[in-house]
Amino acid sequence: QAQLVESGGGLVQAGGSLRLSCAASGSIFNVNVMGWYRQAPGNKRDLVADITNSGFADYADSVKGRFTISRDNIKNTVYLQMNSLKPEDTAVYYCKAARTRDSLGYWGRGTQVTVSS
């Protein structure tokens, strides 16, 4: 059974940093893209960043220059280093693994990130 498990969320002050991890295990097939999405209360789930098997990364404009996504293909793990955090980064962060960005793929259960002002 496929499973994505996120970790690393928490409470941090504005300007601080957090590192999220997402480990994939089980019967996960045809994964080319792994990424992070976030959803704040009342908002839809939006892409934060994703990265392909070959290392091509893409970011939402709101996080460019502050967040860095990386991937360990051996460990089937994707990371999100978040620096210079802002209160508006507060959300539940979800990990996704899929064949393409638009594929249904696999989702984790999410990890809460709260940035206080």
Side-chain angles (χ1 to χ4, degrees):
Q1 186 173 358
Q3 190 174 20
L4 297 177
V5 179
E6 302 103 333
S7 62
L11 173 65
V12 65
Q13 289 188 330
S17 298
L18 284 174
R19 187 188 192 217
L20 306 183
S21 299
C22 171
S25 62
S27 302
I28 292 182
F29 302 102
N30 297 324
V31 170
N32 180 45
V33 181
M34 295 188 75
W36 290 95
Y37 292 70
R38 67 186 180 187
Q39 187 169 17
N43 291 354
K44 63 181 179 69
R45 191 174 298 187
D46 290 323
L47 174 70
V48 176
D50 60 13
I51 185 168
T52 66
N53 277 341
S54 57
F56 179 81
D58 197 17
Y59 297 89
D61 287 343
S62 59
V63 307
K64 283 180 180 176
R66 300 189 297 123
F67 291 10
T68 302
I69 191 170
S70 60
R71 180 172 177 173
D72 185 330
N73 290 331
I74 303 297
K75 295 182 179 179
N76 284 331
T77 300
V78 63
Y79 306 95
L80 186 69
Q81 178 65 43
M82 305 186 294
N83 298 328
S84 302
L85 282 160
K86 304 175 181 180
E88 51 263 44
D89 294 318
T90 295
V92 178
Y93 284 69
Y94 296 91
C95 175
K96 180 184 178 184
R99 186 175 62 84
T100 70
R101 179 183 290 179
D102 297 327
S103 302
L104 289 178
Y106 308 91
W107 288 91
R109 293 189 173 186
T111 184
Q112 176 71 45
V113 171
T114 303
V115 184
S116 62
S117 57

